[in-house]
Amino acid sequence: MPRIITVDSTGTIARIVSGTLQLLHRSAVQIDVPQGEAALEELQRGGVQLVISAWELYNNMGGLELALRVKQASESTAVIVLGDTDDPETLDEETEASPFVYLHRPVDVHQFLRVFQAGLDNEDIFKAMASPMAEVERIIDRGPVPVMNRQPAGKILNDMLRETGAMAVLLTKRTAEIELEAGAAGYLDRERLTNALMPMVSNVIEMGSIVGGQGSSLHFYDGDDRDIFVFSVGVHYFLVLVFDGQSGSRKFGVVKSVGGRAVADLTALLGASAMVLQQPRPVQESVSPAAKRKGKTGALPALEPDDLIVRPEISVPEPEPLKLDPIANFDASIFDRLPALDSNAADDIFDLDRLESLVKSTSGRKEVSFEEAMELGVLPDIEKK
């Protein structure tokens, strides 16, 4: 069995360790000593997995010095130092990187159990300090959250605030973001509240696949200062109602009735996407502008011979010769007069002087008689009238 040494002159740590072993149903040899010297003597016997010491030991050796000397004598032994309410809440910069875990009372029960069990099993007690649920939620990407229609959703929250008499009503996303709020939500530590709701995301999703259908959940947290109700709206949103610590428990029936109706209305606004988890979009590799320009203007990659497309040659038919219809009553004797033509006259069209005289000779006003004008239709036929 593993051996545990508790070092505390008041005996408080011994009782804490004994109760922790019973809670975890673990067996161990527990050795309780009041001072650091006795702990170092017991450490020399070997087989000690865990040493838990108080910060103040009320002698020449304090808990900090004892922890350092234990690690020097047995590097594999895990050391936890528990500070009391009057002791420092955190370590200073010089002792922050010390090879032991420092916890201040009152301690987080879940955190202490994780560190205690890691020390018994020779595991990393520093890694056990972090919440495993928080790490899982940061790693898992459940895709985008569907958009909520804010205007009708805000009216639903205001009506719920009025009908239940709650101090505040909030609509949060499964990504720990607040979508809408109504009432005196400013008095709450909203960031801490949304982070505390994160473990419910996995619970709602996993239980939804077990119960089947459009499952929903209702959680109630009863406290002295605040009473909080949490409804799940599909798998993406959570409806939170905050009451005073003295009145919340008496409103359970009203909250369940009004809250159930509000959840149904909010789910209807989301439609089919309320219960659907979309796959996250793949991350596209970023391409620098220089690479884009290079890709546009660079030479094309050479194709392999097998990649070349061979197109068959297309034979174009020869054009048919132009055939004209024969001229009826063609008189071939007109070509006999060609030698009589003066070929020098063809050059006159390029002579400006000859061209001018030609235009003047052909562009005059021609006189016509009355008879010719009447025949052409320019003048009416006077004789007929």
Side-chain angles (χ1 to χ4, degrees):
M1 290 189 296
R3 302 180 67 202
I4 303 175
I5 299 178
T6 66
V7 189
D8 183 15
S9 58
T10 64
T12 302
I13 295 180
R15 293 190 294 270
I16 293 175
V17 171
S18 178
T20 304
L21 289 173
Q22 295 180 8
L23 181 63
L24 296 176
H25 301 284
R26 297 291 298 268
S27 299
V29 177
Q30 180 176 338
I31 306 168
D32 304 323
V33 296
Q35 305 297 335
E37 291 81 0
L40 293 176
E41 293 178 1
E42 189 64 35
L43 184 65
Q44 295 177 359
R45 301 178 184 272
V48 178
Q49 273 82 4
L50 182 61
V51 174
I52 303 179
S53 171
W55 176 263
E56 181 61 58
L57 298 178
Y58 302 102
N59 66 346
N60 296 331
M61 184 187 302
L64 174 60
E65 181 182 353
L66 173 62
L68 296 177
R69 294 182 63 176
V70 168
K71 295 300 293 184
Q72 291 177 355
S74 177
E75 186 177 356
S76 61
T77 302
V79 181
I80 301 174
V81 177
L82 288 180
D84 206 344
T85 54
D86 298 332
D87 296 330
E89 294 186 3
T90 57
L91 300 179
D92 54 22
E93 296 180 357
E94 296 180 357
T95 58
E96 188 175 1
S98 299
F100 60 88
V101 168
Y102 179 77
L103 299 175
H104 183 265
R105 285 178 284 179
V107 298
D108 183 351
V109 176
H110 299 284
Q111 186 182 50
F112 177 74
L113 291 176
R114 290 195 306 270
V115 176
F116 182 85
Q117 193 161 354
L120 287 182
D121 298 334
N122 290 327
E123 297 177 355
D124 190 351
I125 60 176
F126 301 98
K127 187 177 180 180
M129 290 280 290
S131 174
M133 181 60 68
E135 293 181 359
V136 171
E137 291 299 329
R138 284 195 297 267
I139 295 174
I140 296 178
D141 184 2
R142 303 185 186 277
V145 177
V147 179
M148 175 71 72
N149 194 335
R150 297 174 64 90
Q151 184 173 359
K155 184 179 183 302
I156 294 174
L157 263 66
N158 289 325
D159 293 344
M160 192 174 187
L161 182 70
R162 183 183 65 257
E163 294 178 15
T164 60
M167 188 174 67
V169 180
L170 299 92
L171 182 65
T172 67
K173 298 181 181 179
R174 59 173 170 78
T175 54
E177 298 174 347
I178 296 178
E179 180 71 13
L180 293 170
E181 59 183 34
Y187 291 98
L188 297 171
D189 189 349
R190 289 169 290 184
E191 182 178 0
R192 186 178 177 185
L193 174 63
T194 53
N195 289 332
L197 295 176
M198 291 304 296
M200 293 180 58
V201 175
S202 297
N203 296 337
V204 170
I205 295 174
E206 295 298 331
M207 290 301 298
S209 61
I210 295 175
V211 300
Q214 297 185 357
S216 61
S217 64
L218 169 59
H219 294 258
F220 174 58
Y221 301 91
D222 188 7
D224 295 335
D225 299 330
R226 300 284 187 270
D227 290 341
I228 298 179
F229 295 84
V230 182
F231 291 87
S232 63
V233 182
V235 294
H236 302 284
Y237 288 87
F238 292 92
L239 185 62
V240 182
L241 287 84
V242 182
F243 291 86
D244 184 80
Q246 306 302 323
S247 60
S249 58
R250 298 193 298 269
K251 297 291 187 70
F252 195 92
V254 177
V255 170
K256 185 178 181 181
S257 175
V258 178
R261 186 172 65 250
V263 169
D265 295 339
L266 292 172
T267 305
L269 293 178
L270 294 174
S273 60
M275 304 300 298
V276 177
L277 288 172
Q278 301 181 14
Q279 294 295 329
R281 297 178 180 178
V283 180
Q284 298 180 354
E285 296 182 359
S286 59
V287 181
S288 62
K292 291 182 179 179
R293 291 193 297 268
K294 184 177 180 181
K296 292 181 179 180
T297 59
L300 294 176
L303 295 177
E304 296 294 333
D306 296 339
D307 298 335
L308 295 176
I309 300 176
V310 180
R311 300 182 182 276
E313 294 183 0
I314 301 175
S315 59
V316 180
E318 294 292 336
E320 297 182 358
L322 181 62
K323 295 180 179 181
L324 299 177
D325 296 334
I327 301 174
N329 300 324
F330 177 70
D331 186 7
S333 62
I334 61 175
F335 296 105
D336 297 339
R337 296 192 297 252
L338 290 178
L341 296 176
D342 186 5
S343 60
N344 295 327
D347 298 333
D348 292 343
I349 60 176
F350 301 101
D351 189 350
L352 296 180
D353 296 335
R354 295 289 298 170
L355 184 62
E356 182 180 0
S357 61
L358 180 63
V359 172
K360 289 181 179 180
S361 62
T362 58
S363 62
R365 176 178 296 178
K366 182 179 180 181
E367 295 180 358
V368 295
S369 61
F370 283 103
E371 291 77 5
E372 294 175 344
M374 287 186 292
E375 292 178 358
L376 295 174
V378 177
L379 295 176
D381 191 354
I382 300 175
E383 294 180 356
K384 290 183 179 181
K385 294 181 180 182

